[in-house]
């Protein structure tokens, strides 16, 4: 299982970015997948998650601004981030795990065993 994030960068407040996670090494249609972020000195927090049935959850701080999507044919997970705020600044990580208990805990980092290396998002 390999997860590789891309799309991070620097943007002004109010701007947009689209993150992508290329997944390989397994059949991700049967996986839960999620986006997490971690700012310096803070805990890693769940941003958005999607299960094998397409059910989605968002963290309260990003609802209405971020959209998660999954392309099973391309084994790709995306995160469209709009109306970005300085407090969105963090390293963003893609995560995956075979669908099981993760379906009920999509935003808990303990639900995922597979992680990417992260991509930095900076909002000023």
């Amino acid at each position: 299982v390999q997860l590789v994030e891309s799309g991070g960068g620097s943007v002004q407040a109010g701007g947009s970015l689209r993150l992508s996670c290329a997944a390989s090494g397994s059949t991700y249609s049967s996986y839960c997948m999620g986006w997490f972020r971690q700012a310096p000195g803070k805990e890693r927090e769940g941003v958005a998650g999607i299960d094998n049935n397409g059910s989605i959850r968002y963290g309260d701080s990003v609802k209405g601004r971020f959209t998660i999507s999954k392309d099973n044919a391309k084994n790709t997970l995306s995160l469209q981030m709009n109306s970005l705020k300085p407090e969105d600044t963090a390293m963003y990580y893609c995560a995956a795990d075979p669908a099981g208990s993760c379906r009920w805990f999509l935003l808990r980092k303990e639900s995922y065993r597979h992680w990417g290396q992260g991509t930095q998002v900076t909002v000023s």
Side-chain angles (χ1 to χ4, degrees), residues 17-103:
L17 282 174
R18 185 176 182 86
L19 305 183
S20 293
C21 173
S24 61
S26 190
T27 304
Y28 287 90
S29 60
S30 61
Y31 274 55
C32 298
M33 297 190 76
W35 287 100
F36 289 74
R37 67 186 182 188
Q38 187 167 17
K42 294 189 176 182
E43 290 284 325
R44 188 170 296 190
E45 65 168 340
V47 174
I50 183 168
D51 74 10
N52 58 311
N53 292 322
S55 295
I56 290 172
R57 285 201 63 190
Y58 293 100
D60 289 340
S61 61
V62 307
K63 283 180 182 176
R65 300 188 297 123
F66 291 11
T67 302
I68 188 172
S69 60
K70 186 180 173 195
D71 187 330
N72 288 327
K74 297 181 178 179
N75 271 356
T76 301
L77 182 73
S78 298
L79 185 69
Q80 178 66 42
M81 304 187 295
N82 298 328
S83 302
L84 283 161
K85 305 175 181 180
E87 51 264 43
D88 294 318
T89 295
M91 185 72 78
Y92 283 70
Y93 298 91
C94 174
D97 207 80
S101 60
C102 59
R103 294 179 58 194

Side-chain angles (χ1 to χ4, degrees), residues 100-121:
S101 60
C102 59
R103 294 179 58 194
W104 290 271
F105 304 103
L106 285 173
L107 300 183
R108 288 182 59 179
K109 59 183 184 294
E110 295 81 5
S111 295
Y112 299 89
R113 285 171 288 179
H114 306 290
W115 293 85
Q117 294 300 306
T119 185
Q120 178 68 37
V121 171

